[in-house]
Amino acid sequence: MRTPFTPFILVCTLLATAGTALAEPARGERLQAELQQRFARADSNGDGRLTAEEAKAGMPFVARHFAAIDAEGQGSVGLEQVRAFAQAQIAGRQGAQ
């Protein structure tokens, strides 16, 4: 069953487990590659950035948090911005525990 949090959980899981790449290099690399592939599929014009519309169509987690990820107000976000935001979310959740 897919919940509204499934994309968020997937991104967080991808990033959290990618951090364990030293312990499991193949798994971390695979998860990073999967995140990159999802981003590339969502990037419909192939410019290496997602607009809010592209995010809505292909990366719902990014779409829901678009304004926060696009803190500089550029109107689009890159993969590194998405990674940094998700990692900050993970760190915040881990710090709250």
Side-chain angles (χ1 to χ4, degrees):
M1 182 165 115
R2 188 175 178 126
T3 67
F5 295 106
T6 301
F8 174 74
I9 292 168
L10 175 62
V11 170
C12 288
T13 302
L14 289 171
L15 293 170
T17 56
T20 63
L22 292 175
E24 302 177 54
R27 183 173 187 220
E29 291 170 12
R30 187 181 80 244
L31 293 172
Q32 285 292 334
E34 184 178 330
L35 179 61
Q36 188 171 357
Q37 289 168 355
R38 290 190 71 219
F39 186 93
R41 282 193 304 270
D43 181 16
S44 61
N45 64 0
D47 68 352
R49 300 191 60 79
L50 295 182
T51 63
E53 292 76 28
E54 288 173 320
K56 284 178 194 173
M59 293 192 85
F61 167 79
V62 174
R64 281 192 302 280
H65 301 283
F66 193 85
I69 298 170
D70 184 24
E72 296 176 8
Q74 296 177 333
S76 63
V77 297
L79 180 58
E80 290 306 316
Q81 287 173 284
V82 172
R83 280 187 180 136
F85 179 81
Q87 287 173 338
Q89 295 294 304
I90 292 167
R93 288 178 186 267
Q94 290 174 344
Q97 292 178 359

